[in-house]
Amino acid sequence: GKLQAHHFAHCSDGDGISCASAGETALHKFAKKVLDARLEMALPELHISNANDTEVVVRAANLTFDKAVLETRDGSIVPDVVLVLRDRRLIVEFKVTHPCDDVKIARIRAMNVGAVEIDLSGYRNHALDELGDDILYNAPRIWLHNPHEASARNRLSERARQRAEDLQRAIDELCNNYRHRFPARKRGNGECETLLRRDGLDDIIDLTVDGSGCFN
């Protein structure tokens, strides 16, 4: 009317606050701009465990890249940023409000390209010009997918299989050394007792037990 020219306005939420996503959009764009300009970031460590065994897939490190590609279709997805180092690619996704969804993660895994998600949800109310180092190095980050994880899991499985085989061999050796026959067909020659004492198992000789489960 008389005070303002006709114009488009942001849709207001129920509490009257308009443009609630403006800060999120600005932070998202700024993060991509920083990564494109500086071409460096901290990679988080990735390790996997099986029982009491652990395999380190990636050690935490700061890397410098050759170039960055922003918001360009890569296969079936449009990543926030794709960093390139020689012949390797790394997808970087920025989480401001919502994490990367399951569909996108599944597509990344199908492509078998490394992908990291950087969590900027705690920085929405910070001044953008103060966030460069936090975006690149300090903000929480996780691996969405790493191509080396499958081979690391195979190594864990192989070591578990080897431990099981070693244990079975030890069990078989004990069974062979301490074989007990009942009823005895002849008087023992002390061989089993000698083997037990040799292996430091004197405390299980001549125990009083119910039934026939005892060396004699």
Side-chain angles (χ1 to χ4, degrees):
K2 296 181 179 179
L3 298 179
Q4 289 182 318
H6 291 288
H7 61 279
F8 290 102
H10 291 288
C11 180
S12 297
D13 295 331
D15 55 6
I17 299 176
S18 64
C19 200
S21 64
E24 175 188 348
T25 302
L27 177 53
H28 212 115
K29 289 183 177 180
F30 180 75
K32 288 182 281 190
K33 180 180 178 181
V34 168
L35 194 50
D36 183 34
R38 295 176 56 174
L39 293 176
E40 55 190 23
M41 64 173 282
L43 296 183
E45 181 177 284
L46 176 62
H47 64 270
I48 54 177
S49 299
N50 180 3
N52 295 322
D53 195 5
T54 299
E55 180 78 18
V56 176
V57 183
V58 178
R59 298 190 182 278
N62 295 341
L63 284 187
T64 300
F65 296 85
D66 298 326
K67 68 175 182 177
V69 181
L70 276 59
E71 292 189 330
T72 299
R73 178 165 293 279
D74 190 339
S76 60
I77 65 171
V78 180
D80 286 340
V81 181
V82 176
L83 294 173
V84 179
L85 178 58
R86 293 186 290 277
D87 59 343
R88 292 183 295 168
R89 293 179 296 154
L90 176 69
I91 293 172
V92 180
E93 295 288 333
F94 293 107
K95 170 188 171 184
V96 178
T97 302
H98 304 292
C100 198
D101 62 62
D102 293 341
V103 173
K104 193 169 190 178
I105 293 174
R107 290 174 176 173
I108 290 172
R109 288 174 177 167
M111 295 164 58
N112 201 28
V113 176
V116 171
E117 181 178 75
I118 300 176
D119 185 358
L120 302 179
S121 59
Y123 296 89
R124 282 180 287 180
N125 296 321
H126 290 63
L128 295 181
D129 57 2
E130 300 174 357
L131 292 182
D133 285 348
D134 288 314
I135 291 168
L136 299 177
Y137 303 113
N138 304 325
R141 58 205 61 206
I142 60 171
W143 284 95
L144 298 175
H145 176 69
N146 187 287
H148 301 294
E149 184 175 346
S151 57
R153 292 193 182 280
N154 289 338
R155 289 193 295 273
L156 276 180
S157 297
E158 177 60 23
R159 290 202 295 268
R161 185 192 63 78
Q162 188 63 55
R163 288 194 300 272
E165 289 183 358
D166 292 344
L167 178 59
Q168 189 59 53
R169 277 194 294 270
I171 292 171
D172 292 342
E173 182 179 358
L174 289 173
C175 289
N176 290 331
N177 284 341
Y178 309 133
R179 191 181 298 112
H180 175 63
R181 296 180 179 87
F182 180 83
R185 297 178 181 176
K186 61 182 180 179
R187 184 174 180 80
N189 60 9
E191 178 186 3
C192 287
E193 181 178 345
T194 300
L195 289 169
L196 287 165
R197 293 190 188 283
R198 181 200 69 186
D199 291 348
L201 301 175
D202 306 65
D203 55 345
I204 69 169
I205 300 174
D206 292 330
L207 298 179
T208 301
V209 297
D210 295 329
S212 61
C214 167
F215 292 112
N216 54 39

